[in-house]
Amino acid sequence: MTLLTDRPAAHAGTHDGRIIQCDVVDFREIVAAVASMDDEPAAIFTNSDFLQASTALAAAYFGLPAKDWRAATRAKNKALMRRHLASVDPVFSADARHVPEDAPYPLVLKPREGVASEDVFLVRDALELATRVDEIAARRDDPLVAEEYLPGRLHTLETLADGRELRVLGSFRTTLSPPPFFVEERLEWAPPPPETAQVLEQLDALGIGFGACHTEFVVHEGRARIIEVNYRLVGDHCDFLLADLLGVPLFEQILTVHLGGSLASWDGPNHRHAIAEPVIADRSGTLTAAPSALQMDDGPVRLSYRPQRAVGDAVAVSRTNRDYLGTVRAIGPGPDEVNAALARFRAAHDWTIT
């Protein structure tokens, strides 16, 4: 396997294959880098939000299985997504600096191509919108959008497709922090809600039909409405939770699809329950105590912990998913057992910021 990256030093010593430096945002640079190799490529793949379109274009150049670059662009660009879905599910959306006076406040202000709930705020009126826009503009210069706030219960839909079949892998219920922020505090495995067919219709309208996709949507009064589409596998360590829960080589399956193979058949997760719960920094400072990565059994519950910050790291609270110190994953026979094991794990370990 050859790794293409614009940060080769970050991967030195961690990847035992070839590393080629190139601008991975530019499909032309990816094409040039791949063409310079002696071997013909069998697949070109990324799991990055930001690189789906450029990777799709490069794969298409070499005649390899790929996502539709237009669908990848729509998924990443929230303004394009809203415009493309307007006939299926109209949602107010505008450039954050050109919001009309009659906009349906409250609105959700967010970067047009952002991630991890960074600089996402609920704003109640035009004055609060203008204040937040100026505040964000002092930190970043990428475009911002203001969207209609969509009430309802937040879910995810995890799917995998091989160009012929799109399979629903499952769904998580997501718990968010109180407004005006949107930090994901917990993802809990749950059956896909009855309104899932509406989400699949919207994904089809976007052209989503190849590889992994992680979709966030709300359900309110029988209506499912997409919040955002991440045209890659679920992140924040829930990808490992999903693989463990399904009990299949999920990552291998994703790569198989990109190599031109078909989805394998497998059974469901056997009615097991699962929760991913991040440990979130409550103050800024230096992380002086935290557990290392570990796996353990608490009765019938399998627990895993993966740190996202190391002892000694500086922590600056941002009210985003970047505040995660680590994530606890738990799989067990039911919600009572899983919740109890999670509580015991949290009580038995310390995360200290001074």
Side-chain angles (χ1 to χ4, degrees):
M1 184 178 72
T2 299
L3 177 66
L4 305 182
T5 177
D6 55 0
R7 301 174 186 176
H11 301 281
T14 62
H15 176 64
D16 56 7
R18 179 169 39 184
I19 298 177
I20 297 178
Q21 182 174 2
C22 76
D23 180 2
V24 288
V25 177
D26 188 336
F27 76 94
R28 295 164 298 186
E29 294 297 315
I30 299 174
V31 168
V34 173
S36 71
M37 300 187 302
D38 294 332
D39 301 327
E40 289 294 320
I44 301 177
F45 171 79
T46 184
N47 197 47
S48 167
D49 271 4
F50 293 97
L51 305 180
Q52 293 297 334
S54 60
T55 301
L57 282 165
Y61 176 86
F62 290 101
L64 300 171
K67 296 173 180 176
D68 183 333
W69 69 269
R70 294 162 297 186
T73 301
R74 291 179 199 124
K76 185 59 186 166
N77 184 311
K78 296 174 178 64
L80 290 179
M81 182 191 77
R82 292 301 182 201
R83 190 174 304 149
H84 199 77
L85 285 177
S87 63
V88 180
D89 181 35
V91 173
F92 172 83
S93 177
D95 182 309
R97 291 193 178 276
H98 299 93
V99 175
E101 292 183 0
D102 61 349
Y105 289 94
L107 300 175
V108 179
L109 174 65
K110 62 179 71 172
R112 190 185 68 190
E113 300 181 46
V115 294
S117 297
E118 289 182 335
D119 292 316
V120 181
F121 299 98
L122 185 69
V123 294
R124 301 286 180 181
D125 52 40
L127 176 59
E128 188 175 1
L129 172 64
T131 301
R132 288 291 192 187
V133 167
D134 289 343
E135 174 189 320
I136 296 169
R139 295 191 294 271
R140 58 196 298 167
D141 59 4
D142 49 326
L144 304 173
V145 295
E147 295 184 349
E148 174 186 350
Y149 172 71
L150 302 178
R153 188 73 175 89
L154 183 60
H155 299 258
T156 81
L157 191 68
E158 314 304 330
T159 57
L160 179 59
D162 60 10
R164 297 167 291 274
E165 174 193 358
L166 186 145
R167 185 175 303 171
V168 174
L169 303 179
S171 176
F172 292 99
R173 285 195 303 263
T174 305
T175 301
L176 294 175
S177 61
F181 308 106
F182 293 87
V183 183
E184 294 178 357
E185 297 183 335
R186 166 184 275 219
L187 276 81
E188 185 165 6
W189 187 252
E195 296 83 1
T196 294
Q198 299 174 35
V199 180
L200 294 174
E201 178 187 1
Q202 293 172 52
L203 291 178
D204 184 62
L206 287 171
I208 304 297
F210 188 82
C213 188
H214 164 67
T215 304
E216 299 175 7
F217 66 100
V218 291
V219 172
H220 181 63
E221 296 179 347
R223 187 177 179 186
R225 313 188 77 184
I226 286 179
I227 300 295
E228 67 177 38
V229 177
N230 300 290
Y231 206 177
R232 43 84 175 155
L233 192 59
V234 60
D236 290 322
H237 298 170
C238 287
D239 45 357
F240 301 108
L241 181 68
L242 183 60
D244 291 343
L245 186 63
L246 295 174
V248 298
L250 179 60
F251 306 104
E252 181 180 310
Q253 271 289 292
I254 293 170
L255 292 176
T256 295
V257 164
H258 283 264
L259 287 163
S262 301
L263 291 177
S265 60
W266 64 71
D267 296 328
N270 300 320
H271 305 292
R272 291 187 294 168
H273 195 69
I275 294 175
E277 188 174 89
V279 179
I280 303 173
D282 60 357
R283 71 193 75 182
S284 299
T286 301
L287 184 62
T288 56
S292 302
L294 60 86
Q295 290 188 340
M296 59 176 288
D297 292 324
D298 182 335
V301 178
R302 181 66 169 169
L303 290 154
S304 299
Y305 174 74
R306 291 178 65 92
Q308 284 151 276
R309 297 294 188 95
V311 171
D313 282 356
V315 177
V317 169
S318 60
R319 306 298 180 193
T320 75
N321 294 4
R322 304 296 186 197
D323 295 339
Y324 292 176
L325 302 178
T327 301
V328 190
R329 310 191 312 269
I331 298 177
D336 291 343
E337 295 90 342
V338 170
N339 278 301
L342 271 172
R344 286 190 291 268
F345 181 89
R346 298 281 296 249
H349 295 87
D350 293 319
W351 291 263
T352 304
I353 298 174
T354 58

